[in-house]
Amino acid sequence: MFPRPIQSQSAAAQATYCAMLPLALILWLAPLIAVAVFSIKPDVDFSSGNYWGMPSTFAGAENYGKVFFESDMPRYLMNSVLITVPTVIGAVALSCMTGFALGVYKFRGNLWIFFMFVAGNFVPFQILMVPVRDLTLNMGLYNTKLGLVLFHVAFQTGFCTLFMRNFIRALPFELIEAARVEGVAEWRIFWFVVLPLMKPAIAALSVLIFTFIWNDYFWAVVLTQGAESQPVTAGITSFNAQYRAAYHLMSAGSIVAALPPVAMFFLMQRHFIAGLTLGAVK
Amino acid sequence: MTDTAPPSIAARRLNGQALAPWLFLAPGVLFFLFYVVFPIFQSFNLSFYRWDGLGAAEFVGFGNYRELMTDRAFEVSMWNNLKWLVLYLLAIPAGLFIALFLNQTVAGIRIYKSLFFFPFVISQVVVGLVFTWFYDPTFGLLNTMLGWVGAGPINVLGDPTLATYGIIAAGLWPQIAYCMILYLTGLNAVDPEQVEAARLDGAKGWRMLWYVIVPQLRPATFIAFVVTIIGALRSFDLISIMTNGGPFGSTRVLSFYMFEKALSEYGFRMGYGAAIAVVLFLIMLVFIGYFLWTMWRQERGR
């Protein structure tokens, strides 16, 4: 245990530590707390210059009501869901198979294919931008959710394969050997032996990819435009243009846009952190 | 393997085992080749052309690269990329110190850890908006706080010398959170016996941290290094949201400049954009090569 457990130190040190924790947290999250406070302030507070005082009245319901009922926000949110969920399913499904192939079989080129996925996952988006935009245009998928989903699935397969392959490598190989001795067909080994053991990896990857895709902005701007297909990250800029200088509404909108991955994180925290920190421990 | 099975079945099984991996790989690999690998080569090819995205492309050889050499905006972008790379790495020690601060077992510490991690989960777009308001010269929290101590006001994002640093600070916020969570996990796995033994030998504080703890955190440090470098070179969202490259183009980085050139409102310059992307890719390739080399050594070590 490092640093030395606080319990083994003086009572004064313990009290100081416990007092410092909330203080440090408030400082750390200050920019965010400010936005949260903004989002429940009424309009008049901003025109009267009451930026940092207490809200004169609680206007949270009104502000968030406007976001949900008088703007395109619900459409953007819906688009985000329709882009994110299929991507998660597609990328996880593909990488279960690629991860299985690279983790279980020994064949020539195994490591090369693996490294192709790893390297591809690290390339800058800009090197793909023009050709992928062109490809999407030519397939008639520009400005559609499907166009965005297809690209996201392909790109995320890189990271997911890295993850799945390393996870499968750590499974007990004897299980697969035993199944082979029994004469079980390879695809049945995949489906009935390995897949059930991969549940924790599937859960971890799903939350991670959900967050990555929900928060994507670059590809949303490159491959879509307009409220019919843009996800919420891109939509928030049009939302802000619509409510220019209406800080209470812009704050409420930002919080709504940020919320789904946050909720996902708090609900699936254990999986999320397991996913992010895979490999951080030997 | 069973010796009793007739050779024909054994052969078929062997065949199955030789064919199976390729069947499992096919959909993922084809998809990846189509959307990721081929486009890289297409971009390389395109960087030798002049193309507005609509008409016919005109071959210009190294023309785009020659133009880059004298392009002031490109030079500014390169310097800013360097600033991002160097300053972004501060996320690693900062994350380590927050992790050390939180690595205790008191009531409610789990909630604190989650809340400290919070900024990483939020989209960069929202982080950008939040920090734009934080820096706002008339009502932003930063200037309000500076006012308490009698300093300011400063217009961080409106000042060409400060703006890039302001954006990097915003980017560090989620990145520190990420490094913190990596180190918290790493610290969990630190061998308590080694720590005790070092304590008996009189090691404490900084020496303990540097000679006993940090070496054991190597895997976490490696991942933190990888994700931070990639994050620094991928910076786009924050710049686009916070300054859109301004003021006077002073906050451009390669990734943003490329986007601006290729899809600018003053006409598309796809070939020139592709040339910028190739430069960015080659910079990244140095790091990718290093990462792969490290991974390859680990694979060998198994």
Side-chain angles (χ1 to χ4, degrees), chain A residues 8-259:
Chain A
S8 67
Q9 290 172 31
S10 68
Q14 286 189 41
T16 318
Y17 181 74
C18 288
M20 266 166 67
L21 271 178
L23 227 72
L25 182 69
I26 290 172
L27 261 182
W28 181 242
L29 293 181
L32 208 62
I33 296 169
V35 173
V37 173
F38 269 24
S39 77
I40 56 165
K41 280 186 165 219
D43 205 359
V44 291
D45 279 11
F46 293 94
S47 42
S48 65
N50 172 21
Y51 291 113
W52 295 108
M54 290 301 282
S56 56
T57 50
F58 174 79
E62 192 192 323
N63 293 345
Y64 284 95
K66 273 217 177 89
V67 169
F68 275 108
F69 299 113
E70 288 172 36
S71 76
D72 279 333
M73 214 34 140
R75 273 182 89 176
Y76 291 129
L77 286 171
M78 198 60 213
N79 288 340
S80 274
V81 171
L82 291 176
I83 291 164
T84 307
V85 173
T87 303
V88 169
I89 296 170
V92 170
L94 283 182
S95 63
C96 279
M97 296 195 289
T98 52
F100 175 75
L102 295 174
V104 168
Y105 299 95
K106 287 194 174 65
F107 58 92
R108 261 195 128 187
N110 182 317
L111 210 55
W112 288 106
I113 294 177
F114 179 57
F115 278 179
M116 174 191 82
F117 281 120
V118 177
N121 162 53
F122 288 145
V123 302
F125 296 148
Q126 282 71 17
I127 193 100
L128 311 178
M129 186 184 103
V130 176
V132 167
R133 186 175 174 278
D134 228 37
L135 206 68
T136 310
L137 270 169
N138 290 339
M139 291 192 295
L141 294 176
Y142 181 75
N143 201 20
T144 62
K145 293 182 268 289
L146 180 63
L148 210 45
V149 169
L150 288 178
F151 171 75
H152 279 318
V153 168
F155 192 80
Q156 294 303 327
T157 300
F159 173 73
C160 295
T161 301
L162 164 68
F163 190 97
M164 287 297 191
R165 182 262 193 191
N166 286 348
F167 187 86
I168 291 172
R169 270 283 157 102
L171 294 177
F173 195 70
E174 300 79 46
L175 273 174
I176 297 163
E177 292 277 79
R180 280 192 183 145
V181 171
E182 296 288 323
V184 181
E186 296 297 314
W187 70 269
R188 298 183 65 111
I189 294 181
F190 170 69
W191 193 257
F192 294 108
V193 180
V194 176
L195 214 51
L197 295 172
M198 278 157 71
K199 273 183 196 151
I202 293 172
L205 259 187
S206 303
V207 260
L208 274 187
I209 301 301
F210 181 92
T211 312
F212 291 165
I213 300 304
W214 187 281
N215 290 341
D216 163 70
Y217 174 70
F218 181 77
W219 291 105
V221 182
V222 171
L223 297 181
T224 59
Q225 48 182 273
E228 65 273 19
S229 49
Q230 270 193 330
V232 72
T233 41
I236 188 102
T237 45
S238 348
F239 178 85
N240 284 352
Q242 187 186 344
Y243 295 104
R244 180 137 307 284
Y247 287 102
H248 53 305
L249 294 182
M250 279 160 47
S251 305
S254 303
I255 288 191
V256 168
L259 220 51

Side-chain angles (χ1 to χ4, degrees), chain B residues 214-298:
Chain B
V214 170
Q216 290 193 61
L217 293 174
R218 267 193 78 137
T221 306
F222 177 68
I223 298 186
F225 183 68
V226 172
V227 294
T228 305
I229 294 282
I230 303 288
L233 288 172
R234 276 207 180 141
S235 53
F236 173 88
D237 303 3
L238 287 174
I239 297 163
S240 169
I241 294 292
M242 293 176 76
T243 62
N244 205 16
F248 317 117
S250 62
T251 53
R252 288 187 184 118
V253 293
L254 290 180
S255 60
F256 184 80
Y257 188 46
M258 182 275 166
F259 177 83
E260 220 180 28
K261 277 289 162 192
L263 297 178
S264 108
E265 40 204 300
Y266 309 111
F268 294 178
R269 295 195 61 193
M270 299 287 193
Y272 196 58
I276 302 170
V278 166
V279 173
L280 179 62
F281 177 76
L282 293 178
I283 296 172
M284 200 86 111
L285 204 58
V286 176
F287 294 103
I288 297 176
Y290 167 71
F291 303 151
L292 288 183
W293 182 62
T294 310
M295 283 179 67
W296 185 72
R297 276 191 322 182
Q298 283 170 359

Side-chain angles (χ1 to χ4, degrees), chain B:
Chain B
M1 288 286 147
T2 45
D3 327 340
T4 48
S8 66
I9 293 180
R12 249 176 53 204
R13 279 252 301 288
L14 207 66
N15 232 333
Q17 276 183 39
L19 191 64
W22 299 104
L23 292 178
F24 280 112
L25 276 173
V29 167
L30 289 178
F31 224 23
F32 199 74
L33 284 174
F34 185 69
Y35 264 116
V36 181
V37 178
F38 293 152
I40 295 176
F41 292 102
Q42 283 171 314
S43 274
F44 265 89
N45 182 43
L46 189 63
S47 71
F48 297 110
Y49 287 85
R50 183 196 316 245
W51 188 43
D52 61 4
L54 297 167
E58 178 198 345
F59 184 78
V60 291
F62 281 93
N64 288 325
Y65 292 97
R66 265 197 298 277
E67 193 183 333
L68 276 182
M69 303 276 274
T70 55
D71 185 345
R72 267 285 296 155
F74 175 72
E75 201 185 311
V76 171
S77 309
M78 282 284 254
W79 275 112
N80 281 338
N81 261 123
L82 194 67
K83 285 180 199 164
W84 271 90
L85 266 180
V86 173
L87 293 176
Y88 227 48
L89 287 173
L90 291 177
I92 298 175
L96 176 60
F97 283 112
I98 297 185
L100 289 173
F101 174 63
L102 292 177
N103 194 33
Q104 296 286 355
T105 40
V106 294
I109 196 72
R110 280 198 50 191
I111 296 286
Y112 279 107
K113 287 177 184 170
S114 314
L115 287 173
F116 264 90
F117 182 63
F118 206 62
F120 180 75
V121 191
I122 304 169
S123 85
Q124 298 246 312
V125 172
V126 175
V127 171
L129 288 170
V130 166
F131 267 81
T132 309
W133 298 331
F134 179 73
Y135 289 140
D136 191 286
T138 53
F139 66 85
L141 189 56
L142 177 69
N143 282 307
T144 310
M145 291 200 292
L146 284 176
W148 294 340
V149 293
I154 45 171
N155 183 0
V156 177
L157 297 179
D159 183 338
T161 53
L162 287 180
T164 292
Y165 299 107
I167 302 175
I168 296 175
L172 277 173
W173 193 45
Q175 195 64 31
I176 289 172
Y178 191 177
C179 294
M180 175 204 81
I181 211 79
L182 287 171
Y183 278 124
L184 275 175
T185 313
L187 282 170
N188 260 339
V190 164
D191 180 8
E193 278 178 26
Q194 273 195 44
V195 177
E196 272 318 305
R199 247 177 215 146
L200 288 180
D201 286 343
K204 56 185 175 194
W206 290 98
R207 290 178 61 86
M208 172 78 115
L209 178 64
W210 188 249
Y211 291 106
V212 182
I213 306 297
V214 170
Q216 290 193 61
L217 293 174
R218 267 193 78 137
T221 306
F222 177 68
I223 298 186
F225 183 68
V226 172
V227 294
T228 305
I229 294 282
I230 303 288
L233 288 172
R234 276 207 180 141
S235 53
F236 173 88
D237 303 3
L238 287 174
I239 297 163
S240 169
I241 294 292
M242 293 176 76
T243 62
N244 205 16
F248 317 117
S250 62
T251 53
R252 288 187 184 118
V253 293
L254 290 180
S255 60
F256 184 80
Y257 188 46
M258 182 275 166
F259 177 83
E260 220 180 28
K261 277 289 162 192
L263 297 178
S264 108
E265 40 204 300
Y266 309 111
F268 294 178
R269 295 195 61 193
M270 299 287 193
Y272 196 58
I276 302 170
V278 166
V279 173
L280 179 62
F281 177 76
L282 293 178
I283 296 172
M284 200 86 111
L285 204 58
V286 176
F287 294 103
I288 297 176
Y290 167 71
F291 303 151
L292 288 183
W293 182 62
T294 310
M295 283 179 67
W296 185 72
R297 276 191 322 182
Q298 283 170 359
E299 291 291 324
R300 282 285 136 124
R302 280 194 192 191

